[in-house]
Every structure is written in C-alpha cells, then in structure tokens.
Amino acid sequence: GEQYAVLKCEAAGINVPVYWGSSTELLERGACQTTSSVVIGEEGNVVIDAHVNTFFASLHDVAVGDEIVLYTEYGIFTYEAAELVTFESKDTRYILPTDDSRLTLYTCEAQVLGTSTTRIGVLCTPVSAQYYTNPGEEAAQ
C-alpha cells in the first residue's frame, strides 16, 4: 500500500503517484499496481490501473508512439505505447503475467450513468531502463 513510483505521460497530461496494491483508499490517492504483476524494472507484465473519473481520466488520449515514464526510487523506466485495447472486465488476458516485458495501463470505459464492464487499456513496450548508481540518487520528477 505504499507509493513507490510516479507515472507520467506528457502527451496525455497524466502525472500520477503509483501505489503497490489495490484498495478503495489507494485508488483515491493515485494509480495502483496489481500485486500479481512484476516490480517495475523486472521482466514481465507491470499492470497499473486507476479510476477513469480521476487519475486516468485522460488515458483515452494516449496514442500509439506516446512515451510513458515510471520514476522510482531506484531508477527511471521509459515505455512506448504500442497498442490500444478494449476488453471486458472478466477478460484477464491483458493483466495476467507475461513472458515478455511490458507495461499495461487500464481503466474503465467512461460512462455518463452507472459503471461500465468495458475496460480501455494501453499496452506499452520498454524503451529504456536507467538505474541509479548512487544510493539516494533520484531524478527530478
């Protein structure tokens, strides 16, 4: 339940703290990383979600080719949006562990009334990983 990253996508105006785990309280404070996904920087699927009416309100503005950056205490991880997807809430294929390295961002499809069972997502491929070499070294966020 602790914040351990900041996610930025300048092209879509997203700048949000990322918390490990998911709960109603954490989703009110920022985006949440699914605990079944890998830690940022490890090989596999990093899965992050947030509410569509708050922190991921502009996730639908992300376009293929946009840069997404995750800032952590141990490094900076840059991804490129590779594919935009739509899926039903019961469809887990995008949020399950993978053999390849990727970042998956998703939220509910915006609805005027009620909640949606449809999710919108952005599948991202890693571009670079810059690990800090000195203890306590952090880049400007």
Side-chain angles (χ1 to χ4, degrees):
E2 292 186 23
Q3 179 184 345
Y4 89 112
V6 172
L7 183 148
K8 289 187 181 184
C9 177
E10 288 188 22
I14 297 171
N15 184 354
V16 59
V18 177
Y19 294 87
W20 181 256
S22 186
S23 68
T24 302
E25 178 187 335
L26 290 177
L27 284 166
E28 290 174 4
R29 295 166 54 190
C32 293
Q33 182 174 343
T34 306
T35 56
S36 62
S37 69
V38 298
V39 172
I40 297 167
E42 290 184 357
E43 191 163 324
N45 194 7
V46 175
V47 180
I48 298 174
D49 69 291
H51 284 309
V52 68
N53 57 349
T54 58
F55 300 101
F56 274 3
S58 61
L59 187 65
H60 66 278
D61 292 332
V62 175
V64 170
D66 285 351
E67 181 179 84
I68 294 98
V69 182
L70 287 165
Y71 298 88
T72 69
E73 291 182 359
Y74 52 90
I76 301 171
F77 303 88
T78 304
Y79 296 83
E80 181 179 301
E83 184 180 354
L84 308 177
V85 296
T86 303
F87 58 101
E88 289 300 310
S89 60
K90 293 181 181 185
D91 182 356
T92 59
R93 69 182 140 167
Y94 297 113
I95 61 173
L96 289 175
T98 61
D99 292 332
D100 65 320
S101 291
R102 70 172 70 173
L103 167 65
T104 302
L105 307 175
Y106 76 98
T107 191
C108 295
E109 183 178 59
Q111 295 289 312
V112 175
L113 298 173
T115 53
S116 174
T117 61
T118 303
R119 306 291 182 253
I120 61 165
V122 181
L123 307 181
C124 309
T125 56
V127 173
S128 67
Q130 175 189 347
Y131 291 89
Y132 301 133
T133 55
N134 299 320
E137 176 186 356
E138 285 190 49
Q141 296 179 19

